[in-house]
Amino acid sequence: MSYLENAKQYTGTDLEQIFFRPMLTGPSAIDLGVRVLYNMPTPTTVQLWNGQNNILHKYDSTGWSGGKHSLKTQKIIDMKRVKAELGFAASDYFSMVYEKIVSSPEVNMDDLSGTQLEAAETALFKQTLAENIRATMWVGDSDATTGFNTFDGFLKSIQNGLDDESIFNATYTESELENPASSIKIFDNLWLHASGQLQDAKPEGQLAFFVTSDIYRLYEKYLDQKGVEAAYSGEVNGHSGLAYHGIPIIDVHLGGYLNATSFDKSFCFLTDRRNLVLAVNTADFPGNEVRMWYNPDEMENRQRAVFMAGCTILDNRLVLYATKQS
């Protein structure tokens, strides 16, 4: 056998259980660093409640002191129908699938079941699909003619917020990126300009600095300069789980994507993770599916996924942005 011919189609609960839910819930969702809504009713709406600041009143034996209703606002996430397709030469596809199988010590190569082959095929597609969702979540631009243009990502929302001045914007220079201590200046500047609402949310553990890899490496170099044992260990073994004053620093890992876009190539921004929302829906629209099949005319294995996706920033006022001067 040198190719795989069995067609596979996933719809309904199989589509959810086998493909998307493992990618978008639990540790996989946490790894994305943002708030993920999966299979929420469409149109996907996020409710934002603004409770009154002072709800305590002197006790009276009778009467109602509740005053006005709590203010409710909502934001609808613009969901787009998207399609992901991959094609492989049959021999290459066979090799990639079998590589995933033989890497497991539990597999008996003399008795391969269809379940094992199916798991290897789905793992191959899920890996690519998850990375493309993540990349579009950041650099998506529906106005672009090429590239990740299925739906607008967070950077497009930030760009729009800078245009209407709803997002605080600071700058740093190329020369500053040569000094590791500049990373601290960037973080401090954003924190000092943050609203009281954002600063007060720090104990909840949801604030984060989202940075490009150059800023992340700059902060690593700053830590390496500290004359303590932990700094030496970090320089030798690398740093993991970086934070500044208890606020995590997340490398968005967009080096391979930003160069092909009009977005800033170097940036740092501070916000609440819950303010960044990715929504994916595989349940509410007919035709949503994952299909894998062999095309004998082209001698090609093909994979296709059809689903709904979109993302948004709930409140631009909770985003503080710093970018390198052009």
Side-chain angles (χ1 to χ4, degrees):
M1 180 169 57
S2 61
Y3 51 87
L4 303 174
E5 294 185 81
N6 292 335
K8 303 170 184 65
Q9 182 182 17
Y10 304 92
T11 58
T13 57
D14 287 341
L15 180 62
E16 175 181 341
Q17 303 277 344
I18 296 175
F19 266 87
F20 284 91
R21 187 165 292 280
M23 289 193 297
L24 300 171
T25 59
S28 295
I30 294 174
D31 290 342
L32 289 173
V34 303
R35 182 178 175 186
V36 179
L37 304 179
Y38 178 57
N39 272 358
M40 294 286 288
T42 55
T44 301
T45 304
V46 182
Q47 306 292 344
L48 306 173
W49 289 90
N50 182 16
Q52 298 177 8
N53 292 328
N54 185 4
I55 63 171
L56 298 181
H57 304 278
K58 292 182 178 180
Y59 177 76
D60 295 318
S61 58
T62 61
W64 168 256
S65 302
K68 299 179 181 179
H69 292 289
S70 296
L71 298 177
K72 184 188 77 171
T73 58
Q74 62 184 23
K75 189 162 187 177
I76 297 176
I77 300 177
D78 184 20
M79 302 281 285
K80 303 291 186 182
R81 196 165 196 183
V82 300
K83 178 175 67 172
E85 293 180 328
L86 283 174
F88 302 90
S91 57
D92 295 338
Y93 187 75
F94 177 84
S95 299
M96 287 187 293
V97 170
Y98 265 66
E99 182 181 355
K100 287 189 172 294
I101 293 176
V102 299
S103 62
S104 174
E106 293 83 13
V107 171
N108 179 4
M109 294 302 295
D110 294 326
D111 184 24
L112 285 176
S113 68
T115 302
Q116 291 168 324
L117 290 173
E118 182 176 355
E121 284 190 82
T122 57
L124 179 66
F125 195 21
K126 280 195 294 186
Q127 180 180 357
T128 305
L129 190 58
E131 176 58 16
N132 276 260
I133 292 175
R134 187 194 75 86
T136 309
M137 174 184 79
W138 286 107
V139 303
D141 183 357
S142 59
D143 294 328
T145 56
T146 59
F148 297 90
N149 58 3
T150 50
F151 60 89
D152 289 335
F154 297 132
L155 294 183
K156 182 65 177 291
S157 297
I158 289 177
Q159 186 180 71
N160 293 338
L162 295 177
D163 292 340
D164 62 27
E165 299 183 344
S166 60
I167 291 178
F168 170 80
N169 185 205
T171 60
Y172 49 88
T173 64
E174 180 70 37
S175 60
E176 287 183 282
L177 294 180
E178 299 173 1
N179 180 9
S182 294
S183 59
I184 302 301
K185 291 173 58 179
I186 294 171
F187 300 149
D188 277 342
N189 190 33
L190 296 184
W191 175 255
L192 291 174
H193 285 89
S195 65
Q197 178 185 1
L198 194 63
Q199 291 184 348
D200 289 345
K202 181 180 177 182
E204 299 175 17
Q206 295 296 328
L207 300 190
F209 289 102
F210 293 88
V211 304
T212 46
S213 297
D214 58 339
I215 302 297
Y216 194 88
R217 287 194 297 269
L218 198 67
Y219 185 51
E220 283 186 311
K221 291 180 180 178
Y222 172 80
L223 296 177
D224 291 342
Q225 293 176 350
K226 299 297 181 182
V228 294
E229 182 179 350
Y232 173 78
S233 175
E235 188 171 9
V236 174
N237 302 316
H239 302 276
S240 61
L242 293 186
Y244 179 64
H245 288 178
I247 301 176
I249 299 170
I250 299 175
D251 187 346
V252 293
H253 296 294
L254 297 176
Y257 305 116
L258 283 173
N259 289 336
T261 73
S262 60
F263 301 122
D264 295 311
K265 307 306 184 285
S266 174
F267 61 79
C268 166
F269 71 91
L270 170 66
T271 192
D272 189 308
R273 296 171 188 257
R274 296 166 296 190
N275 195 35
L276 308 177
V277 182
L278 167 70
V280 175
N281 189 291
T282 61
D284 291 344
F285 293 88
N288 287 353
E289 66 171 2
V290 167
R291 184 188 297 267
M292 296 182 286
W293 73 99
Y294 174 68
N295 184 321
D297 294 334
E298 301 291 337
M299 296 184 66
E300 183 178 67
N301 284 92
R302 294 177 175 178
Q303 300 173 325
R304 174 188 292 141
V306 180
F307 57 99
M308 302 287 292
C311 65
T312 191
I313 295 178
L314 298 180
D315 191 342
N316 283 342
R317 295 169 298 178
L318 299 182
V319 178
L320 296 101
Y321 187 74
T323 182
K324 185 174 65 176
Q325 290 179 348
S326 57

